[in-house]
Amino acid sequence: MKQVNTVLDQFGTTIFTTMSALALEHNAINLGQGFPDQDGPDFIKDAACDAIRQQPNQYPPMAGTTHLRQAVGDHNKRFYGLDSDWQTGVLVTSGATEAIAGALLGLINPGDEVVVIEPVFDCYIPMILRAGGIVRTVRLIPPHWTLSRQALEEAFSERTKLILLNSPQNPAARVYNADELALIAEMVLRYDTYAVCDEVYEHIVFDELEHIPLMSLPGMAERCVRIGSAGKTFSMTGWKVGYINAPPKLHDALCKAHQFLTFTTPPMLQHAVAEGLRLDDDYFRQLSLTQQKKRDILTTGLRRAGFDVLNSQGTYFLCADIRPTGFDGDDVAFCQHITRHAGVTALPLSAFYDLREAASDKKPPPPSHFIRFCFCKKDAVLEEAYEKLIDYFKP
Ligand code: PMP
């Protein structure tokens, strides 16, 4: 029989699914997959319930409800000083995942090159390839995750169509600073490319660091697609409501992709998310502070268990070096081992590198002794998890 899909066949089941299944089998605390175990504000849930009862439940407008598009525009102005016309510059999607897929389908022509920074969020590479693009990676290596001019210059060329940038970055937990962003902007301008900016963790940033959208840099407003997610900003990852800001030309291209993908997004959720985006600054500050406290709880506990823990600047995640635990094996074996024997699940960082490249000898193998833990869980769950690891490694 014919091969079903020559692009997607090269990717197996995602590491999230594999490790979550193993966690379930061994009744382990799952700090692998990234979702909070407490929902966001009741006020937003109530707004969705009210909207179901009191507002139409039919197809909303293709680009999103007026209410939410205006709220997205106001949010961008309030936090970043970005001027986005809600009619020609804001689009609502069914999750950031759809926004990323739509941006890639809408902006890539077959054969275009796309730059991504490794370690890379799992859907990027399959989606670039499915859209007909060619992947060029810039590799960051822990513990310093340095983004060098040289690596960017090696990845960008006249063939580059866009860079797909994620800041704050999952899984490296890096928040790109003004200098790094200026370097990226320089490449974007030099090679006349676009940038698709996945900023779903824009409001989960620690230690007084500032999240700077690439779009806010000089010359970038005409070239960037900025993507946010209500799932992360309101701790409702199941809702799958995303939003895009883009200049009119890119907005048009994205609307074309979106109308053939999902066409629209449930109206009651759009209504509730619009209410959420109008919350005062304190809500957004508390979101970062709450997650920062959780980061600190897990960091302290993992250090007691013997891990070298890297500083997490933002997101739901932190990375840890497994070598000080004395384990004899790589990150994949380690994650399986602690799931089975310590009752805690994490994810191997090597899974976030382009393994096709590693297999083809084009680049050295990715780092194999770092793992990613998710900390957006109840404090008691984090405490139980690190106590289990301490019991196992430091009995
Ligand atoms: N981008 C990144 C970097 C993410 O971590 C996630 C969720 N894990 C998404 C996009 C997807 O967001 P959504 O649930 O809104 O589709």
Side-chain angles (χ1 to χ4, degrees), residues 29 31 297-298 300-302 304-305 307 342-344 379-395:
I29 298 177
L31 302 185
I297 291 172
L298 191 62
T300 310
L302 290 176
R304 277 178 52 208
F307 292 87
V344 179
D379 295 356
V381 172
L382 298 174
E383 281 154 15
E384 192 187 341
Y386 73 65
E387 290 297 348
K388 279 173 181 274
L389 290 166
I390 292 169
D391 284 351
Y392 186 73
F393 287 109
K394 299 265 172 84

Side-chain angles (χ1 to χ4, degrees), residues 17-28 335-336 339-340 345:
T17 308
T18 313
M19 290 309 299
S20 289
L22 197 66
L24 206 62
E25 188 187 327
H26 293 276
N27 202 19
C335 288
Q336 291 167 348
T339 301
R340 292 197 177 97
T345 298

